[in-house]
Amino acid sequence: MSETIPVHLLPATPTAGKARKTPAQTGEPIHTRSFTGRFRNWRLAVAGSLAVLFFGTSWLNMEGRQAVLWDLGERKFHVFNATFWPQDLTLLSALLIISAFALFAVTVYAGRIWCGYACPQSTWTWAFMWAEKVTEGDRLQRIKLDKAPWSFNKLAKRTAKHGLWLAMSLATGIAFIGYFVPVRELTADILTGQWFTASAFWVFFIGLFTYGNAGWLREKVCVHMCPYARFQAVMYDKDTLAVSYNPTRGENRGSRKKEEDYQAKGLGDCVDCYLCVQVCPTGIDIRDGLQIDCIGCAACIDACDSVMDKMDYPRGLISYASERTLAGEAAPRFRPRLLGYVTAVILMCGALAFTVYDRELTAVNVIKDRTLYRKNSEGHIVNVYRLKLMNKTHEAAHYHIALRQPDDGGLQLQRQYRITLASGEIVDLPVSVVQQNGSLYQGAIPFTFVVQNNADGKALAEGSSTFVFPTR
Ligand code: SF4
Ligand code: SF4
């Protein structure tokens, strides 16, 4: 019986057939070959939906304004019918923490599946590769074009490719900045040549960034620049699904005729066709084992499955497999680490949803005046406060101020305080409170300012403070 080799201990060189260097090893440009398959369809569906969301969401309007807009000038962030303010930035921090935990959970379960299917760098790289194919042809034609001397044909193809890349980059720049500046005005400005504005600068900056990353740097970003690529390796355990070649089944690799009894010749299922390397966007050979360059896109699975189909061998020589299942062991029913991450994500999502639902749309902050107290002309003690009031709704609101105090507190507002605030407006409202009746309290009375809706008296926000007396 052949010995089972853990995937991370796979030999770096083939055990049969002529060893070939991969583009990742030689540093040659990577020209991927076209392929089809179920994982490619999944990637198209996931990445395509995310791209549609990215390009489309900023064009949605609601209540006469852009539905999703981070309005930096007005310092408010609209997400459909909710408006968030700088004071709500803790919610954004919470969202980032949840996203990080969700990424940990996904990584523990299925390795770099995020990189292969949803990461913008991969998505745009696949889109740029598609543009390359449309303008310069498939893999062999592109390799030939690379080697050919400059001619009108080569110049025309290269111009078309870079033109398409630049158009895609510009569209990306407009879509991205369109979440910070109203996208309709921005697009009109760019298309009418108003390029010397701050918004246009950022559109071109993001466009150039996209062109460089997806057009030129591509896999180098994933391999050398992305921090996730560095730390994800430590999150793998023996049950993490990773794109893996099964050496027990595949080796010894080597070419053969379809009808041949290859096992009698000591060969495994790998026909050494090199297709898995030719489709790989990072130019590696998955048969060399788990590598940091692998973005888990499963292109090699699709390519290899098509070869297995042609040879009438079972699919899955390359597959999503864990180190444990590859070693022939059963996968555990429970994975405490994964369960912990998933539970944490669910709990945090619930807490965040409740916080967003329950957040106050009127904010009040009470600051006591530095002068502890004074006496008015009638000899009553007066305390002065500053109420920092904010209207976080997206329309004007009318408020009045009331007090809640102990039954025998005897506190009264010096006058009626009614105020109207525009959407997002913040005011500092000085408020005087008088103690009319003399107090049973010694030193201080705790009480609460209640901000009420002017129309129906509904309490919208509260802020606590104390009323201070002279010591006797
Ligand atoms: S080895 Fe396979 S899964 Fe990994 S990047 Fe290459 S094609 Fe994608
Ligand atoms: S595609 Fe499959 S059969 Fe062909 S070289 Fe790769 S692993 Fe072997």
Side-chain angles (χ1 to χ4, degrees):
M1 212 174 94
S2 60
E3 192 191 351
T4 305
I5 310 166
V7 67
H8 64 289
L9 296 179
L10 272 165
T13 49
T15 51
K18 197 176 160 206
R20 277 174 279 189
K21 290 209 174 218
T22 62
Q25 288 163 336
T26 60
E28 286 167 12
I30 297 168
H31 290 294
T32 54
R33 187 182 177 126
S34 302
F35 64 98
T36 54
R38 59 202 160 123
F39 292 109
R40 175 180 171 273
N41 294 342
W42 272 109
R43 190 176 44 256
L44 276 179
V46 174
S49 312
L50 292 176
V52 167
L53 275 182
F54 171 70
F55 283 106
T57 307
S58 58
W59 289 88
L60 299 176
N61 268 0
M62 194 173 198
E63 297 169 359
R65 60 164 170 80
Q66 189 169 313
V68 179
L69 179 68
W70 193 306
D71 191 335
L72 294 176
E74 296 284 322
R75 292 190 296 168
K76 47 187 174 181
F77 181 28
H78 301 291
V79 185
F80 299 101
N81 59 359
T83 302
F84 298 89
W85 307 90
Q87 290 80 354
D88 298 320
L89 270 183
T90 45
L91 295 174
L92 181 66
S93 319
L95 191 66
L96 292 178
I97 292 169
I98 293 173
S99 307
F101 268 78
L103 195 59
F104 296 160
V106 167
T107 308
V108 170
Y109 179 66
R112 290 182 76 172
I113 201 162
W114 156 263
C115 304
Y117 292 81
C119 171
Q121 174 64 24
S122 313
T123 306
W124 262 255
T125 298
W126 287 109
F128 273 49
M129 289 195 307
W130 166 83
E132 206 164 44
K133 185 180 150 196
V134 166
T135 50
E136 293 185 343
D138 207 351
R139 181 172 180 271
L140 288 177
Q141 289 166 298
R142 293 202 303 274
I143 293 174
K144 218 166 129 190
L145 191 71
D146 260 5
K147 290 182 181 155
W150 279 101
S151 63
F152 177 76
N153 179 41
K154 183 166 177 169
L155 187 67
K157 285 185 173 172
R158 285 279 143 96
T159 308
K161 176 177 85 173
H162 288 284
L164 197 49
W165 280 4
L166 285 168
M168 292 159 83
S169 304
L170 184 65
T172 306
I174 292 175
F176 186 83
I177 300 302
Y179 286 98
F180 299 90
V181 177
V183 72
R184 286 172 172 77
E185 295 163 28
L186 181 69
T187 310
D189 285 354
I190 298 291
L191 294 182
T192 53
Q194 293 177 51
W195 295 348
F196 299 99
T197 63
S199 318
F201 167 81
W202 287 111
V203 166
F204 291 126
F205 179 83
I206 298 292
L208 214 58
F209 186 75
T210 308
Y211 175 73
N213 273 358
W216 294 93
L217 293 175
R218 294 192 176 177
E219 80 288 349
K220 290 176 190 67
V221 174
C222 309
V223 177
H224 303 294
M225 293 157 75
C226 174
Y228 177 55
R230 301 278 138 200
F231 78 76
Q232 52 88 24
V234 298
M235 308 200 68
Y236 278 49
D237 59 29
K238 284 185 89 176
D239 297 301
T240 300
L241 294 175
V243 174
S244 315
Y245 166 74
N246 184 344
T248 310
R249 187 182 145 191
E251 303 298 320
N252 293 319
R253 65 188 77 158
S255 58
R256 80 286 310 265
K257 293 201 172 74
K258 189 176 171 185
E259 307 74 28
E260 207 174 343
D261 182 3
Y262 61 98
Q263 282 165 343
K265 285 176 69 183
L267 293 177
D269 281 357
C270 175
V271 301
D272 206 17
C273 62
Y274 215 56
L275 222 60
C276 49
V277 180
Q278 291 176 354
V279 297
C280 177
T282 63
I284 59 168
D285 188 341
I286 192 64
R287 296 173 300 169
D288 292 345
L290 191 60
Q291 296 153 68
I292 199 166
D293 309 39
C294 175
I295 59 167
C297 67
C300 52
I301 300 184
D302 281 336
C304 190
D305 278 352
S306 70
V307 178
M308 295 296 109
D309 289 349
K310 277 189 199 123
M311 298 299 289
D312 280 338
Y313 300 166
R315 286 181 166 194
L317 177 56
I318 303 176
S319 65
Y320 280 107
S322 70
E323 194 182 316
R324 201 189 293 275
T325 54
L326 216 54
E329 296 170 29
R333 295 184 72 179
F334 291 109
R335 295 174 61 188
R337 194 167 160 207
L338 180 60
L339 204 65
Y341 279 131
V342 172
T343 310
V345 170
I346 292 172
L347 291 179
M348 286 191 291
C349 283
L352 180 65
F354 179 75
T355 310
V356 171
Y357 171 76
D358 197 46
R359 84 199 158 101
E360 288 177 341
L361 294 176
T362 306
V364 62
N365 189 15
V366 182
I367 302 160
K368 175 128 184 36
D369 195 82
R370 262 185 282 175
T371 307
L372 282 181
Y373 59 85
R374 63 178 169 78
K375 278 190 181 174
N376 65 12
S377 53
E378 290 149 9
H380 297 136
I381 304 296
V382 177
N383 280 199
V384 179
Y385 305 82
R386 276 193 303 123
L387 266 57
K388 204 177 186 69
L389 261 177
M390 181 179 184
N391 172 12
K392 292 191 194 178
T393 65
H394 40 254
E395 53 198 18
H398 312 283
Y399 306 112
H400 73 260
I401 309 297
L403 296 181
R404 193 169 65 234
Q405 57 183 309
D407 290 343
D408 50 0
L411 301 180
Q412 250 186 341
L413 291 166
Q414 183 147 301
R415 63 175 180 83
Q416 289 220 342
Y417 292 93
R418 294 185 191 281
I419 187 165
T420 297
L421 297 189
S423 166
E425 191 178 352
I426 303 175
V427 291
D428 257 337
L429 180 68
V431 176
S432 298
V433 179
V434 189
Q435 217 284 339
Q436 298 271 15
N437 309 325
S439 174
L440 303 171
Y441 289 85
Q442 290 293 313
I445 301 175
F447 73 100
T448 304
F449 285 105
V450 183
V451 182
Q452 296 180 327
N453 185 341
N454 209 18
D456 57 12
K458 188 179 167 203
L460 300 173
E462 297 185 353
S464 300
S465 193
T466 47
F467 187 92
V468 179
F469 293 95
T471 45
R472 295 172 192 167

